[in-house]
Amino acid sequence: VKEDVMSANTGEISTSVELTRRPRRLLARTEAVPAHAIRRRIANVGGAERWASVVAGPLALRWAARSRRTSVPTRLALFAVGTLLVERGVTGVCRLYRWLGVDSLRGVPHTGRRVLEEAHSDLVAASRRSVERTVTIMRPLAELHATLRNVLRWPMFVDAIESVEARDAGGAVLHLRGADGRRLTCVLALVQDQPDAELVWDVSDQGGRRLGRLIVALGPAAGARGTEVRLTAQVEGDGDGATMTVASWAAKLAGEAPEQQVRRILRRFKQLMETGEITTAAGPSGTRQSDPVLGRILRTRTDAPPRLPRSPGSSQTTAREED
Amino acid sequence: MRALCWKGVNELAVETVPDPTILNPSDAIVRVKLSSVCGSDLHLLDGYMPSMRSGDIIGHEFMGEVVAVGSGVRKLKIGDRVLVVSVIGCGACWYCRRGEWSLCDNTNPSDQAMDPLFGQTTAGIFGYSHLLGGYAGSHAEYIRVPFAEQGSFKIPDGIADQAALFLSDAVPTGFMAADLCGITPGDVVAVWGCGAVGLMAIRSAYLLGAERVIAIDRFPERLRVAEQREGAETLNYELFDVTEALKEMTGGRGPDACIDAVGMEAHGVGLAYTYDRIKQAARLESDRPIVLREAILACRKGGTVSVIGVYGGMVDKIPFGAAMNKGLTLRMGQQHGQKYVPQLLERVERGELDPSYLCTHPMSLEEAPRGYELFKTKSDGCLRAVFRPGA
């Protein structure tokens, strides 16, 4: 466990050392390794709970092995639960907690590792408030900057945007529609526009309540590979811990986690800028029927109808607005 | 239109499905004249490739006639006779520009499924599961071809449909297998698998300067083709211990380069093969790396192992210590067809290679399930069953 934390930390340090030598690199402006890239294999099970797992795990395994009257699926489930309990008891790392973002160890004063663990918890918490992903695009930086600064181009690669109205000074009003059908209108104000480097928008609702920030950082990629683009979506405030956990869990189940959305926006933006269109396998293909989990995730990706792009540089509004 | 649909493991049916349409400016619609089975389709049939959905049209090796083009297509005209490379490349990303078309950044919309499995997402492939893009396949009367200017090649008048067809997949795949070996004059190359790709790899190895090529398979009729058509020395692995035999055939050195043209569903003999079958059946490993193991052990010190047979997931008991200590070079990948097709068309025109003999079983699309059965069981000397949609 200790080693993992150390490697996360040394990763951070070595990155920043390298970056001071190359101030033009994209990562230099974001100071640290992205939070999502930090290892999560750190103890997250509290002391008493951990002992309880050590005791309960073998009991569950014994039950799975012995009980002839229990059905086979139940016994398999018991076997799985028992194994996980033993694992979390012995290692202090619970996979389920990690996935849910729960940490019953936090705040429990317990060993010399506490400082590291607290720092780690902060990073994990930060990653829940902020999502960032990076992509490399084989186009000149200035062209990407100009396209991103023009909010009217966004509906081409952000499929959650139903329509957009431009406001003064790079601001906009976005009408969004989530995968679950919920609608949201938000107001964007461009608060920072460094030519060829960074764009920052403050995001608020129509009543003026701050919702968060959108940050786009651009920098040249090493080896003439074009431009690195990092998109960061920050959510304002802490939120109620439990609500956040349940919400992110539900989002994961629905296949529309914020991380996936950010990644998807970047991929579509890359496709549009490099090829002039959004790749799709939509349209009729055989006599398809629905399929369980994997199919559902894939369907959201491949069956989305494409939005035909316009000629670059023109400043028209979206198709839906024209309708 | 009529199309061959995957309905489940080892279940195929010809059905009436909706016609494809132009969706993006770079698209073309091609009326399929010939569409071939491919060894890699067997992984779909056998259920070893995840993310197939009932009703998917399969098939990825095809040629035909352009019947519609998108607004962005300039180099293709309606009526052009074209072959289409099975791997889809955008032509604009960093990888395509380097000629590594099967690593294209932009043509596989299934990144959310592939990223966690492979770390990165590779190019889309026609009719080859939703992991590789979910594109409709070519065993149909019509097919939508995205990035048509990049993947479609006009067929010169002197080349027959049947020869051009295999430049879509089998020939460039075999050629790439030999190309990855970095063959220098005088080299001895061993090729595992005498299916269409293996046979084309044998021919390509000779074209690139190999002095001897040794072909390995278990079907006498396929070994005969390798010997008579492509001039290879042959080795039946059911009769010989391949590693020992190769060593003896090469003066104790081992082949300079070894090509795995078999992939994840390799057959073998002995205990190791039984072990792999059990593990694969229990889904404890996804692929049976029998050829890969043999190739690593047989290859001479400092030689090259070129893997062109398809692997899909996890393999087990790879003698990596041998690979490391012998200083082997391992090279592999799906074919970069767009890079190879122009020179292959020239070679076919010059008569250096003629893949048309691979088409052993031409038939109508309605007979496709029988074609796959013949191909899968390798009965009746079947190298490739080729369907003529609309015939």
Side-chain angles (χ1 to χ4, degrees):
Chain A
V1 170
K2 192 167 184 178
E3 201 181 297
D4 287 345
V5 177
M6 294 311 284
S7 71
N9 284 341
T10 46
E12 191 176 319
I13 290 160
S14 65
T15 312
S16 41
V17 167
E18 190 198 325
L19 291 171
T20 44
R21 274 190 286 121
R22 297 186 191 184
R24 281 293 291 157
R25 294 284 297 280
L26 171 62
L27 285 170
R29 282 184 295 278
T30 50
E31 288 173 4
V33 174
H36 73 267
I38 290 164
R39 275 187 197 280
R40 304 290 167 84
R41 272 200 74 76
I42 182 161
N44 58 4
V45 183
E49 206 181 316
R50 198 166 152 180
W51 280 113
S53 302
V54 172
V55 177
L59 285 176
L61 288 177
R62 189 168 172 275
W63 187 7
R66 290 279 180 84
S67 170
R68 295 262 176 268
R69 265 177 295 171
T70 320
S71 70
V72 172
T74 315
R75 286 171 70 180
L76 284 174
L78 272 170
F79 182 76
V81 170
T83 311
L84 283 174
L85 282 172
V86 169
E87 189 201 21
R88 79 203 286 271
V90 172
T91 64
V93 180
C94 175
R95 290 160 191 268
L96 186 65
Y97 275 15
R98 196 164 80 226
W99 191 54
L100 293 174
V102 174
D103 190 341
S104 64
L105 180 68
R106 198 170 5 173
V108 180
H110 134 89
T111 64
R113 293 202 306 258
R114 200 180 157 213
V115 176
L116 279 176
E117 278 161 5
E118 275 184 355
H120 186 269
S121 304
D122 287 348
L123 284 169
V124 173
S127 76
R128 253 181 268 136
R129 291 195 299 271
S130 155
V131 175
E132 56 187 39
R133 290 291 186 274
T134 314
V135 74
T136 304
I137 303 179
M138 194 71 183
R139 300 298 306 168
L141 194 150
E143 184 187 330
L144 302 180
H145 184 275
T147 307
L148 287 165
R149 199 187 175 291
N150 180 4
V151 287
L152 296 176
R153 306 283 302 269
W154 289 12
M156 287 184 189
F157 52 90
V158 186
D159 49 4
I161 297 182
E162 283 206 308
S163 64
V164 55
E165 301 155 28
R167 291 285 158 91
D168 291 344
V173 177
L174 299 183
H175 300 283
L176 304 167
R177 187 181 177 171
D180 54 0
R182 269 194 311 180
R183 285 192 159 81
L184 175 71
T185 298
C186 53
V187 181
L188 269 66
L190 185 65
V191 292
Q192 200 171 320
D193 180 9
Q194 281 177 281
D196 298 351
E198 199 170 48
L199 289 159
V200 181
W201 286 270
D202 271 345
V203 185
S204 50
D205 65 13
Q206 278 174 309
R209 190 170 62 96
R210 264 179 70 100
L211 298 171
R213 276 193 149 188
L214 271 182
I215 302 162
V216 174
L218 302 123
R225 279 168 226 231
T227 308
E228 290 174 15
V229 180
R230 171 172 293 173
L231 174 59
T232 309
Q234 287 176 350
V235 178
E236 194 82 344
D238 224 8
D240 171 9
T243 321
M244 287 285 292
T245 301
V246 173
S248 62
W249 183 54
K252 271 183 187 169
L253 282 181
E256 279 288 338
E259 298 85 3
Q260 290 175 333
Q261 284 173 359
V262 169
R263 189 89 193 84
R264 178 175 172 167
I265 289 170
L266 285 175
R267 256 188 77 94
R268 288 169 76 100
F269 179 58
K270 174 182 165 77
Q271 288 167 358
L272 182 70
M273 297 311 292
E274 286 187 346
T275 74
E277 61 189 48
I278 305 289
T279 308
T280 178
S285 167
T287 50
R288 246 178 232 162
Q289 286 148 27
S290 66
D291 175 89
V293 187
L294 186 62
R296 179 173 48 68
I297 295 168
L298 287 166
R299 192 158 47 253
T300 61
R301 297 289 296 115
T302 58
D303 294 357
R307 203 171 284 177
L308 294 184
R310 306 309 169 85
S311 58
S314 61
S315 61
Q316 75 284 311
T317 53
T318 71
R320 233 166 280 188
E321 277 181 313
E322 287 166 356
D323 285 346
Chain B
M1 65 170 184
R2 299 288 282 168
L4 180 70
C5 298
W6 185 93
K7 305 297 285 181
V9 174
N10 286 319
E11 205 187 324
L12 296 171
V14 181
E15 299 191 338
T16 301
V17 302
D19 289 349
T21 51
I22 300 269
L23 296 173
N24 267 337
S26 77
D27 288 358
I29 303 290
V30 169
R31 186 175 64 79
V32 180
K33 284 167 90 175
L34 295 175
S35 181
S36 173
V37 304
C38 173
S40 57
D41 290 336
L42 297 179
H43 313 320
L44 306 180
L45 252 65
D46 293 339
Y48 291 121
M49 200 70 198
S51 79
M52 285 298 288
R53 277 195 245 148
S54 178
D56 286 345
I57 305 173
I58 63 169
H60 55 259
E61 186 165 36
F62 65 104
M63 56 78 57
E65 183 191 332
V66 177
V67 292
V69 292
S71 59
V73 178
R74 299 273 174 275
K75 293 181 199 156
L76 293 172
K77 293 190 310 291
I78 289 169
D80 279 349
R81 191 170 68 111
V82 293
L83 69 95
V84 181
V85 175
S86 59
V87 171
I88 307 168
C90 77
C93 70
W94 188 73
Y95 292 99
C96 287
R97 289 188 194 191
R98 280 161 59 94
E100 295 172 324
W101 293 80
S102 69
L103 309 182
C104 177
D105 265 341
N106 290 318
T107 54
N108 186 347
S110 304
D111 62 296
Q112 282 186 15
M114 205 189 223
D115 269 0
L117 285 176
F118 290 174
Q120 273 86 25
T121 298
T122 58
I125 298 180
F126 290 106
Y128 207 72
S129 88
H130 290 262
L131 193 61
L132 288 152
Y135 292 97
S138 63
H139 296 332
E141 289 176 66
Y142 298 94
I143 182 168
R144 169 182 166 250
V145 178
F147 300 103
E149 280 187 355
Q150 273 71 38
S152 313
F153 293 84
K154 281 184 218 174
I155 304 168
D157 288 338
I159 300 179
D161 289 356
Q162 243 181 48
L165 164 68
F166 297 108
L167 267 65
S168 160
D169 191 294
V171 182
T173 304
F175 192 84
M176 177 162 143
D179 190 33
L180 293 180
C181 292
I183 294 168
T184 50
D187 275 0
V188 182
V189 179
V191 178
W192 275 256
C194 294
V197 170
L199 292 167
M200 291 302 110
I202 295 168
R203 171 55 57 108
S204 304
Y206 278 128
L207 288 174
L208 292 173
E211 191 168 313
R212 294 171 62 199
V213 180
I214 303 167
I216 302 148
D217 206 301
R218 68 181 158 139
F219 294 103
E221 62 278 13
R222 288 196 166 188
L223 289 168
R224 210 172 304 125
V225 174
E227 190 176 349
Q228 290 171 357
R229 278 271 177 184
E230 305 298 354
E233 299 162 49
T234 59
L235 195 54
N236 186 332
Y237 69 77
E238 288 186 329
L239 307 179
F240 298 98
D241 177 327
V242 173
T243 323
E244 280 306 309
L246 282 174
K247 209 169 178 179
E248 290 310 312
M249 288 168 86
T250 55
R253 303 186 304 274
D256 300 289
C258 294
I259 293 174
D260 173 356
V262 178
M264 65 199 272
E265 286 189 77
H267 293 84
V269 286
L271 210 58
Y273 176 58
T274 314
Y275 166 84
D276 279 311
R277 289 257 21 168
I278 292 168
K279 282 204 79 167
Q280 195 180 37
R283 296 295 190 266
L284 292 172
E285 69 176 350
S286 54
D287 306 9
R288 304 194 297 261
I290 293 149
V291 169
L292 193 52
R293 287 185 200 124
E294 276 180 1
I296 288 172
L297 292 175
C299 196
R300 78 153 163 86
K301 291 179 283 183
T304 300
V305 174
S306 159
V307 183
I308 203 80
V310 173
Y311 288 84
M314 299 293 174
V315 294
D316 200 0
K317 307 279 184 293
I318 295 298
F320 213 75
M324 188 275 161
N325 286 283
K326 283 163 67 174
L328 298 185
T329 301
L330 304 179
R331 301 197 67 189
M332 59 200 89
Q334 296 275 6
Q335 60 136 341
H336 307 311
Q338 288 86 339
K339 170 178 159 188
Y340 293 112
V341 167
Q343 63 159 305
L344 291 171
L345 280 169
E346 284 171 21
R347 286 182 190 269
V348 172
E349 272 189 306
R350 286 202 299 267
E352 290 177 16
L353 61 91
D354 176 16
S356 50
Y357 75 90
L358 298 174
C359 174
T360 51
H361 291 74
M363 57 182 71
S364 75
L365 183 65
E366 300 299 320
E367 294 175 279
R370 187 177 68 88
Y372 268 100
E373 190 57 36
L374 275 171
F375 179 61
K376 190 179 172 180
T377 54
K378 280 124 184 142
S379 41
D380 198 27
C382 181
L383 284 171
R384 280 283 206 254
V386 173
F387 312 131
R388 292 182 308 250

